[in-house]
Amino acid sequence: MKTRIQQSCVNTSLEYFSKGLLCLFIIVTGVIAAWLIVDHRYSYLLGGPVVLLCILIGLHNWRWSIYALLAYLPFAGIPILAMYPSKFPLLFKDFFFVIPAYVGFVAMYVIQRKPIRFSGAPVWLIGGFSALVLIQLLNPNLNNWLAGLVGVKIWLFYIPLGFLAYHLINTKEELIRLTKILLLISLIPFLFGVVQAILVYMGYDYVAYWLYGNHTARVTQNFFQLELSGGGFLRRLPSTFQFGAQYYGYVISMLPLAAAMWMIQRDKSGFRLTSFLVILVSLAGFLSGLRRSFLFIPVFWLVFGRFEGLSKVTRLMIITAIAILLAVSILGVDLGSLYKHIGTLIVRYAGTTVSGDFIEAIKTAPLGLGTGMDTNPARHAVKDPSTFRWLSENYYAKVVYELGIGGLLILVVLFLTICIRGYFTYRVLQDPILKVFSAAFLAYFIVIMIDSTKAQPLDIDPVNVYFWLFAGLLAKLTSLDVDHK
């Protein structure tokens, strides 16, 4: 009886809380709408009710906001290009999905007075790192507060997704269902990207780029084309994304899901479909025009094979080799010349971006220059983006430039903690399906951390979401291993 009364009180409190928030949002929305009308910004006027609706959805069920976010990510480039030069679409996923999910998640736990549990979360590391990011806003070298706030968003805004992901699923079946849904959604950008590449390399550029209209030069990095010494060329292709690097990041982020489903289905009737998915995901990456794909996609499969056993992944390696051969035939390049070029590139970058920029950052900014000072998206916060100086592509050099050596140490320890705890999770899991997922997520983290020596994948969509999402899912796997405890 007492429990029913307490539950009734909780439900009543939640109802009043929701109504209070609704009234508050209506008032705030009305004030903002009035200001936009006076300022003749009618296009922004439509966004207010949509944001309000999304927040109410998040309050009703924050999981719906997460699912909507994951469904939206592969197509986030479309509204950005359609509404260019407006900057607001760059924040659609934040205002429409991420913030509503955060609001709904926190509201649920506050009203129900339940502790937010996340077994094994490196809370102290995340807290210390967050404090340092905020302290660096006071750095006297910071010349633009707005750029500093953009830097804070890039560093910290998506980390809480790890906590939400931990609570997103409660059973192994839910994890498998989520994986299947994400892979089915990925068929659209991957098939579109492959067809786009075939058209480009067959000489039908005008057909491949027709949907982009006047934005073709922007999405292809001004028709970037790399001539290879052995013949042929590579072009940056974006599929449904803003630019090629986002598309490549999406490919890398779908690899662990495709790998896990392949291993689960390898002895079942779904084997052919999952084999097709593995070929498609790998092929899409190879055809994106980013040379890193020819290095890191095979590296992912090798690391995954190291965890799962190369004997089990032999057929997977063969499937990947088929994808490489298909890509080479479409691109019209010599495989030996391509990898010779990539090898030369690795040596060159190892001496410049990887080590040179990193050492230069330590020499010139051991205490950091301030949050956002080397964050490429911060250029949108500068009146003249051409004046923004990107100090280094190296993610670890960026950490030093913005947060100093102390920030680098904390971040490296945080990354290592995620991997080490993930490895112990892999070791203790008894369920073979969950063990496969842990191996796939671990391989993903290792690839992203290696890739970060050359690029800044965690600064851009969609890796900034998937990285923390997978971290939360990996931490949850031990709780799902109920049948083998």
Side-chain angles (χ1 to χ4, degrees), residues 161-409:
L161 285 174
F163 291 84
L164 271 66
Y166 183 86
H167 294 272
L168 182 66
I169 57 172
N170 295 307
T171 65
K172 177 179 65 177
E173 289 70 27
E174 289 182 4
L175 175 62
I176 295 174
R177 183 166 61 249
L178 175 64
T179 301
K180 288 180 178 179
I181 291 172
L182 293 181
L183 288 175
L184 284 174
I185 293 173
S186 74
L187 289 175
I188 299 174
F190 288 151
L191 289 172
F192 180 79
V194 170
V195 171
Q196 183 182 62
I198 292 173
L199 289 172
V200 166
Y201 289 101
M202 288 179 64
Y204 297 102
D205 303 40
Y206 60 94
V207 179
Y209 297 142
W210 176 72
L211 288 175
Y212 301 123
N214 297 329
H215 305 300
T216 303
R218 292 183 62 251
V219 299
T220 58
Q221 291 184 280
N222 205 23
F223 300 99
F224 175 86
Q225 180 170 305
L226 175 69
E227 303 288 342
L228 299 175
S229 58
F233 60 90
L234 294 178
R235 281 193 185 173
R236 301 277 173 86
L237 301 176
S239 184
T240 56
F241 295 84
Q242 272 186 277
F243 48 88
Q246 284 186 335
Y247 183 32
Y248 161 78
Y250 181 65
V251 169
I252 290 294
S253 299
M254 290 298 104
L255 280 177
L257 303 182
M261 288 308 302
W262 187 91
M263 290 293 291
I264 293 170
Q265 298 288 338
R266 69 183 187 278
D267 297 323
K268 300 179 182 178
S269 58
F271 173 70
R272 291 182 180 178
L273 177 60
T274 53
S275 297
F276 168 75
L277 274 171
V278 169
I279 292 177
L280 181 63
V281 174
S282 301
L283 181 62
F286 297 141
L287 296 179
S288 66
L290 274 80
R291 292 162 289 184
R292 289 150 51 201
S293 63
F294 286 94
L295 174 63
F296 288 113
I297 290 178
V299 166
F300 171 86
W301 295 122
L302 287 171
V303 176
F304 180 67
R306 172 63 183 84
F307 286 116
E308 282 299 289
L310 290 175
S311 59
K312 293 183 181 178
V313 193
T314 301
R315 286 186 292 177
L316 200 53
M317 299 295 184
I318 295 173
I319 292 173
T320 306
I322 292 173
I324 292 177
L325 293 176
L326 282 173
V328 168
S329 63
I330 293 172
L331 295 172
V333 299
D334 178 70
L335 185 61
S337 299
L338 175 62
Y339 273 98
K340 182 180 179 181
H341 170 79
I342 292 174
T344 304
L345 202 66
I346 291 172
V347 173
R348 191 175 74 194
Y349 278 130
T352 55
T353 305
V354 177
S355 61
D357 284 9
F358 183 70
I359 293 172
E360 182 66 21
I362 292 177
K363 288 181 178 178
T364 58
L367 300 178
L369 300 175
T371 304
M373 290 295 284
D374 192 32
T375 298
N376 195 32
R379 71 186 187 278
H380 297 296
V382 180
K383 290 184 178 181
D384 183 4
S386 63
T387 62
F388 182 84
R389 184 189 173 195
W390 197 13
L391 300 172
S392 175
E393 295 181 64
N394 184 330
Y395 187 72
Y396 302 105
K398 174 206 165 172
V399 180
V400 177
Y401 274 125
E402 295 197 7
L403 310 178
I405 297 175
L408 175 68
L409 292 176

Side-chain angles (χ1 to χ4, degrees), residues 378-442:
R379 71 186 187 278
H380 297 296
V382 180
K383 290 184 178 181
D384 183 4
S386 63
T387 62
F388 182 84
R389 184 189 173 195
W390 197 13
L391 300 172
S392 175
E393 295 181 64
N394 184 330
Y395 187 72
Y396 302 105
K398 174 206 165 172
V399 180
V400 177
Y401 274 125
E402 295 197 7
L403 310 178
I405 297 175
L408 175 68
L409 292 176
I410 296 175
L411 188 69
V412 169
V413 172
L414 175 60
F415 283 171
L416 290 176
T417 300
I418 292 173
C419 287
I420 292 171
R421 288 184 176 177
Y423 177 72
F424 283 113
T425 297
Y426 169 79
R427 292 292 300 272
V428 302
L429 286 172
Q430 299 298 314
D431 188 295
I433 291 178
L434 297 179
K435 205 172 184 70
V436 166
F437 273 103
S438 65
F441 290 146
L442 267 174

